[in-house]
Amino acid sequence: MPQTSASPQPPGSSRAATVPHSVGVSNDEFRAALSRLASGVVLVTAREAPLSAEGPRGEDAGMTATAFMSVSLDPPLVLVSVRNGSRMDDLLLEQPLWAVSLLSESDDHRQIAGRFSMKGRISDRLLFADVAYRRGEVSGAPLVEGALAVLECRTEQRVEAGDHTLVIGRVLTAGVAGGEGRPLTHFRGRYRQLGQG
């Protein structure tokens, strides 16, 4: 008599199992659920390439991100999620070199995170006007002073995923702060400090 239930697939099988997909989740329900996942906060930066060898350097751009993670140790890879059609998405299509500053819970860094996440924001030049930073030696992108760690990356792969693109970068340089600062975190729609204890 034939089996009525599907037999388990062997490891490495090319046929994917059918997984039911929820079609009834609203944007608000999705945001509310995922807001309960605490995330670290980083500033992703890049510098426009010059239009010509003799022309002026391009402007800097920055984006606050909470969807940032380590992907691989060998080779060292990280991933950041950028909204399709955003300033950073457009720039990273043309500029393969970018940088990441892991922000601390300091008031200055909290203000930086808020500033670079605003909708309908002012020009990039004005956003960077009073931000203390140095330039990455490889990327030329701004690295925020006092960051817990800084990375310079080169895009290895772009993966479109819904209304965002996952940008996977190879880490070319990495540095950590000398102090014992604590990270800025994002939880339930607000920037927060880690609890004591």
Side-chain angles (χ1 to χ4, degrees), residues 7 28 36 40 48 54-55 75 88 94 97 111 124-125 131 138-139 141 145 156 166 180:
S7 58
D28 289 342
R36 270 59 175 181
E48 292 177 330
E54 300 80 24
M88 188 59 67
E94 301 174 357
L97 297 173
Q111 290 176 6
D124 290 308
R125 183 173 296 173
V131 174
V138 174
S139 66
E145 292 292 349
E156 295 276 298
L166 309 179
E180 294 296 324

Side-chain angles (χ1 to χ4, degrees), residues 6 26 113 132 168 182 185 192:
S26 71
I168 299 171
R182 298 192 305 173
T185 59
R192 301 175 186 266

Side-chain angles (χ1 to χ4, degrees), residues 178-190:
E180 294 296 324
R182 298 192 305 173
L184 182 62
T185 59
H186 191 261
F187 180 68
R188 297 189 71 172
R190 294 178 53 196

Side-chain angles (χ1 to χ4, degrees), residues 76-78 96-98 137-139 150-156 169-175:
L77 299 174
V78 293
L97 297 173
W98 43 282
E137 294 181 9
V138 174
S139 66
V150 291
L151 309 171
E152 292 184 274
C153 308
R154 182 186 65 233
T155 299
E156 295 276 298
R170 180 184 292 257
V171 178
L172 304 176
T173 69

Side-chain angles (χ1 to χ4, degrees), residues 31-38 187-188:
R31 285 192 191 100
L34 272 294
S35 73
R36 270 59 175 181
L37 176 64
F187 180 68
R188 297 189 71 172

Side-chain angles (χ1 to χ4, degrees), residues 87-152:
R87 167 84 166 108
M88 188 59 67
D89 182 39
D90 292 342
L91 178 53
L92 294 185
L93 272 171
E94 301 174 357
Q95 170 60 275
L97 297 173
W98 43 282
V100 180
S101 298
L102 282 63
L103 300 181
S104 75
E105 65 181 13
S106 72
D107 289 340
D108 287 347
H109 284 192
R110 184 187 295 254
Q111 290 176 6
I112 289 170
R115 176 186 300 185
F116 283 90
S117 65
M118 289 188 302
K119 294 182 179 178
R121 64 192 198 190
I122 58 178
S123 75
D124 290 308
R125 183 173 296 173
L126 292 175
L127 284 174
F128 281 100
D130 60 351
V131 174
Y133 66 85
R134 62 181 173 84
R135 294 220 172 263
E137 294 181 9
V138 174
S139 66
L143 303 173
V144 177
E145 292 292 349
L148 300 181
V150 291
L151 309 171
E152 292 184 274

Side-chain angles (χ1 to χ4, degrees), residues 9-54:
Q9 295 295 311
S13 171
S14 60
R15 192 176 82 163
T18 302
V19 178
H21 177 69
S22 174
V23 295
V25 177
S26 71
N27 289 352
D28 289 342
E29 290 170 330
F30 182 73
R31 285 192 191 100
L34 272 294
S35 73
R36 270 59 175 181
L37 176 64
S39 306
V41 183
V42 304
L43 184 69
V44 179
T45 55
R47 190 172 197 181
E48 292 177 330
L51 295 176
S52 67
E54 300 80 24

